[in-house]
Amino acid sequence: MLLASPAIADDEEAEERSPWSSVLFGSLEAGPTKGFVSAGMKTALWSGLSSSGFRTMLKIGGAQEQARRQRPRGIAYKSEAQALIGYEWRIGDTFLSLYAGSDYEGEQREEPRGTVTTGRYGARLHGDLWMTPSEGTMLQASAYASTLDGRLWGRVAAGWLLPQAFRLASFQSDGAHIGPEIEAYRSHDYHKLRFGLHLTGLRLFGLTWRLSGGIQKTSDRPADAYATLGLHWQS
């Protein structure tokens, strides 16, 4: 999921004008056995996003994946939704946020006896960190814990400002960073580990984009490739 990028002057001016500043975000993930799409909104309460304060975050998502890890695998369609509230601390270009709230997952799964539909509710704790340790570098980290299957997820990405010679002519890429990322996920009976590269901070069509890809290893498959597209728009 993409929730933050370096602040720019016009975004900060918009935040100061509107105390109900919001960020709309989305992502698309693709892999050999699963496709996932999500969208959401983060909103500042009683203050702009450029200052510390309370936040709400709403997110919905959907996935198509293999229903079983053994043959015949079948197909499962999953939906998810989170409604969270929390607080964000901001110091310059650095912010740290912590959220808590509800977590829902619905599933429609093909079984030998027919299609089975289920829905489950739980609680989620979510955190985000964005910082610039030095001029030309960035560090971003996100993590959550959910009571649904005891799920734990985390992602850490470091980046260096894209050199002038490599900046993309078709994008506004003055604030783009490139670097490594690592992502891990674990539940009661499944785990996943990813290593890859990301390009974060490209601007096109008024949106800020993140592209990433690499190799993933799961508990039920040999190593294979993954790709992620993330974006956000600040209002």
Side-chain angles (χ1 to χ4, degrees):
M1 174 186 67
L2 177 65
L3 293 179
S5 70
I8 60 173
D10 54 350
D11 286 339
E12 291 179 348
E13 291 172 1
E15 290 169 2
E16 292 172 358
R17 289 195 301 269
S18 174
W20 289 85
S21 299
S22 298
V23 170
L24 304 178
F25 58 88
S27 67
L28 174 65
E29 297 185 18
T33 64
K34 180 179 179 179
F36 177 77
V37 61
S38 69
M41 179 175 65
K42 179 177 75 170
T43 300
L45 302 179
W46 310 299
S47 65
L49 287 171
S50 59
S51 60
S52 299
F54 288 96
R55 311 283 192 258
T56 62
M57 183 162 62
L58 303 175
K59 181 185 174 185
I60 58 173
Q64 177 181 314
E65 61 185 69
Q66 292 178 346
R68 292 173 295 278
R69 298 186 182 115
Q70 293 80 32
R71 297 181 184 277
R73 299 186 184 278
I75 299 176
Y77 301 93
K78 293 184 177 181
S79 60
E80 66 173 51
Q82 295 90 41
L84 311 173
I85 187 167
Y87 194 88
E88 186 169 285
W89 295 266
R90 296 200 67 132
I91 304 174
D93 288 341
T94 298
F95 77 76
L96 172 66
S97 59
L98 185 64
Y99 298 86
S102 62
D103 200 355
Y104 167 80
E105 181 184 72
E107 182 176 357
Q108 188 177 68
R109 178 183 295 264
E110 295 178 353
E111 298 288 351
R113 64 182 183 275
T115 300
V116 177
T117 302
T118 59
R120 299 183 297 161
Y121 292 89
R124 176 177 289 212
L125 185 66
H126 179 99
D128 287 304
L129 169 69
W130 173 279
M131 62 184 304
T132 52
S134 63
E135 185 176 355
T137 66
M138 55 78 71
L139 177 66
Q140 191 271 326
S142 295
Y144 74 72
S146 173
T147 59
L148 294 177
D149 297 329
R151 297 174 184 175
L152 298 172
W153 171 85
R155 176 181 177 269
V156 177
W160 290 264
L161 193 64
L162 199 65
Q164 181 68 44
F166 296 97
R167 295 181 186 175
L168 306 178
S170 57
F171 286 85
Q172 298 176 24
S173 54
D174 289 346
H177 292 76
I178 189 170
E181 68 175 12
I182 180 171
E183 181 180 333
Y185 172 86
R186 189 174 190 87
S187 64
H188 287 323
D189 61 351
Y190 177 79
H191 63 263
K192 175 175 64 179
L193 184 63
R194 289 176 167 179
F195 295 96
L197 293 174
H198 72 94
L199 181 59
T200 298
L202 298 173
R203 293 179 62 84
L204 183 66
F205 306 128
L207 303 173
T208 302
W209 302 76
R210 172 173 65 86
L211 309 173
S212 63
I215 301 297
Q216 68 177 19
K217 178 66 175 70
T218 65
S219 56
D220 61 339
R221 287 182 56 88
D224 48 35
Y226 76 90
T228 301
L229 171 66
L231 58 89
H232 79 260
W233 176 73
Q234 187 165 296
S235 61

